[in-house]
Amino acid sequence: MELKIPYTNITDKAQGYEEAKKRIPEVIQKFGVSADVKTDDTNYTFTAKGTGFEAKLQFLEKEVVVTVDLGFFLKPLKGKITEVIEKQIKKVV
């Protein structure tokens, strides 16, 4: 699944990326899962990999693109997961 969320509260990708860095642990904790999170300051991207899922956030000039791949057991929760991710990102961007 892929979400494109345009910026409304910030002016550029660097600002959104820095704010998201602060919130990523909180979002992962909301799901009650552990994940290996990697940041790429040069490309303004995050990747998070855990049991049954992989997510990527890429901050572009006018929007953030969120890509989430869910394993078989998490697919039934796709709607709820998407909703929570989108809500948390909109707080930042």
Side-chain angles (χ1 to χ4, degrees):
M1 109 183 102
E2 182 176 282
L3 295 171
K4 293 182 179 183
I5 304 170
Y7 302 148
T8 56
N9 300 321
I10 62 169
T11 57
D12 64 31
K13 63 184 176 183
Q15 183 183 10
Y17 178 76
E18 290 302 320
E19 285 297 315
K21 269 186 175 179
K22 298 173 192 172
R23 292 186 188 240
I24 292 293
E26 173 188 332
V27 173
I28 291 173
Q29 185 178 5
K30 266 191 191 245
F31 287 113
V33 297
S34 61
D36 179 28
V37 179
K38 295 182 181 174
T39 59
D40 180 349
D41 294 344
T42 305
N43 294 310
Y44 302 100
T45 60
F46 294 94
T47 56
K49 196 173 207 177
T51 303
F53 76 93
E54 187 170 344
K56 179 179 179 183
L57 281 75
Q58 182 175 19
F59 287 83
L60 303 175
E61 291 304 319
K62 298 183 186 238
E63 66 189 4
V64 61
V65 177
V66 181
T67 307
V68 179
D69 292 319
L70 300 174
F72 180 75
F73 291 108
L74 292 177
K75 285 196 190 255
L77 302 173
K78 178 181 173 182
K80 182 65 176 169
I81 292 169
T82 303
E83 179 184 316
V84 171
I85 290 171
E86 187 171 12
K87 182 179 176 182
Q88 292 299 317
I89 290 174
K90 283 183 175 181
K91 288 180 182 180
V92 173
V93 301

